Amino acid sequence: MVQMQTVLTVADNSGAKTAQCIKVLGGSKRKYASVGDIIVVAVKDAIPNAPVKKGSVERAVIVRTAKEYRRPDGTYIRFDDNACVIIDTGNNPKGKRIFGPVARELREATTGDFMKIISLAPEVL
């Protein structure tokens, strides 16, 4: 569960290290986002000479959340951190690598098709 002002780790090699959520997309009254939702982030920390700079405003998809959520089979899953992957307007990741596991819910996300992120991830839980 991610809302405005939440600081997330960036799970790709686009150059950003941490990002802060500044908007949850999907309606003017929407407060929270979960795995597979698209948010607007401000990059708070980035490595030097990277394509994504500190202070830039980007779109990102959430791949891990620390708040557990229920799957249709009754199991619950939660991760150690809140993490996102920076995407372009075509929902493709800006980085070429994904770090850490990603949730299986990205496969059937209603906001877009993130199969590229799933194929790049080292583990899908």
Side-chain angles (χ1 to χ4, degrees), residues 1-2 34-35 65-69 77-79 81-82:
M1 193 163 74
V2 173
S34 188
V35 172
T65 57
K67 175 67 179 170
E68 71 276 351
Y69 55 93
I77 185 166
R78 81 171 151 230
F79 297 94
D81 63 344
N82 296 315

Side-chain angles (χ1 to χ4, degrees), residues 60-121:
V61 61
I62 300 172
V63 295
R64 294 192 294 267
T65 57
K67 175 67 179 170
E68 71 276 351
Y69 55 93
R70 187 176 191 272
R71 288 186 166 161
D73 63 355
T75 61
Y76 287 85
I77 185 166
R78 81 171 151 230
F79 297 94
D80 289 339
D81 63 344
N82 296 315
C84 65
V85 171
I86 295 180
I87 57 174
D88 59 12
T89 54
N91 289 346
N92 295 314
K94 285 197 173 182
K96 301 288 187 251
R97 293 176 59 201
I98 305 293
F99 304 122
V102 299
R104 193 183 323 139
E105 280 73 14
L106 284 176
R107 191 181 306 274
E108 58 265 355
T110 57
T111 54
D113 184 29
F114 303 114
M115 293 305 288
K116 179 78 173 171
I117 295 173
I118 291 172
S119 65
L120 289 173

Side-chain angles (χ1 to χ4, degrees), residues 4-87:
M4 285 176 60
Q5 305 292 318
T6 301
V7 176
L8 304 103
T9 59
V10 179
D12 63 12
N13 67 341
S14 60
K17 289 198 271 189
T18 60
Q20 184 180 30
C21 175
I22 57 174
K23 187 66 181 170
V24 177
L25 298 181
S28 62
K29 302 285 189 219
R30 189 159 179 200
K31 288 185 178 181
Y32 307 112
S34 188
V35 172
D37 292 337
I38 297 176
I39 59 174
V40 179
V41 297
V43 177
K44 291 296 179 185
D45 192 21
I47 60 174
N49 302 322
V52 177
K53 306 287 187 212
K54 178 182 174 182
S56 65
V57 176
E58 307 283 344
R59 287 164 42 101
V61 61
I62 300 172
V63 295
R64 294 192 294 267
T65 57
K67 175 67 179 170
E68 71 276 351
Y69 55 93
R70 187 176 191 272
R71 288 186 166 161
D73 63 355
T75 61
Y76 287 85
I77 185 166
R78 81 171 151 230
F79 297 94
D80 289 339
D81 63 344
N82 296 315
C84 65
V85 171
I86 295 180
I87 57 174

